[in-house]
Amino acid sequence: MEHLLHFDELDSTNSYLKKTQENLPHGTVVTSARQTAGRGRYSRIWESERGGLYFSVLLKPTKTDFLPNLTQLMSVCVCRTLESFGLLVQIKWPNDVLVNGQKICGILSEAVSREGRIQAVVLGVGLNVGQSNLASISQPAVSLRELGIQAETNVLLKKILDFFWRDYPVLLEKGFPFIASAYKERFGALGKEVTVQNGNETLFGMVEDLSPRGALLLRTGQHLQELFTGDLMV
Ligand code: BTN
């Protein structure tokens, strides 16, 4: 189906697709057995030793209204895949996937624009599969292996992509409401007191809901704030 490129080593699968996207078709998927400069959100390093699943999907969407929701769709697809191995998973808004409060997957979406128009979106996924040295990472993290699950990275990739391509066209048309119930079922912070780091601002409040655009609705005193980005701490 999609155009699949596999490397033994890359700096970053996201960086590779951003550099080469002009010559590649929509739907290209790039995987790498390891990354030497894997990147996370907010310019963080994404540790990318052998054993993990590192891939990026190149999208050339026909509609751009709901692009922020693509990462949320991808987090639901990763959840569905992990659930097929019997795991209980949660989404940490906007798109981290956690097991027992420990991060197992992160998603980084980057747009490539020219003259103010979005040419392409690169959606990168890092899933902890066979690693056993995640204690060195600054936040609590876990791999499938540490959870006692043996899974092949190519099997995981196929399952995630099957879920993703099935729902992608509908998401582009309908936006977050299409995945709202699937997302909210797995959204651990609903109704909880949280801290959100939003740029230089630190906000405290109660998570009241997600908005129809997939943004966090945070009750801070009298105000209900709709947050589109940020780092959530429960
Ligand atoms: C995060 O949780 O901060 C997002 C992590 C995203 C990591 C993946 S691994 C594949 C792709 N290539 C990168 O350099 N980053 C993403």
Side-chain angles (χ1 to χ4, degrees), residues 121-190:
V121 174
V122 175
L123 207 52
V125 179
L127 177 62
N128 300 330
V129 182
Q131 302 100 308
S132 48
N133 57 347
L134 295 171
S136 62
I137 293 176
S138 56
Q139 59 180 308
V142 73
S143 68
L144 284 174
R145 179 176 169 179
E146 289 168 331
L147 293 166
I149 292 173
Q150 299 270 338
E152 298 285 333
T153 50
N154 56 354
V155 172
L156 293 161
L157 176 67
K158 183 173 183 322
K159 284 190 182 227
I160 296 170
L161 291 175
D162 283 351
F163 284 125
F164 184 76
W165 294 126
R166 186 192 68 183
D167 287 353
Y168 171 78
V170 194
L171 184 97
L172 275 199
E173 285 303 316
K174 300 193 172 163
F176 186 73
F178 171 58
I179 52 162
S181 63
Y183 188 95
K184 286 184 195 180
E185 271 168 30
R186 297 163 173 101
F187 178 48
L190 218 48

Side-chain angles (χ1 to χ4, degrees), residues 12-14 35 38-41 46 55 96 103 106-107 125-126:
S12 147
T13 54
N14 265 39
Q35 298 181 116
R39 295 181 291 106
R41 292 172 71 223
W46 185 259
F55 73 94
D96 286 352
K103 184 157 165 173
I107 300 166
V125 179

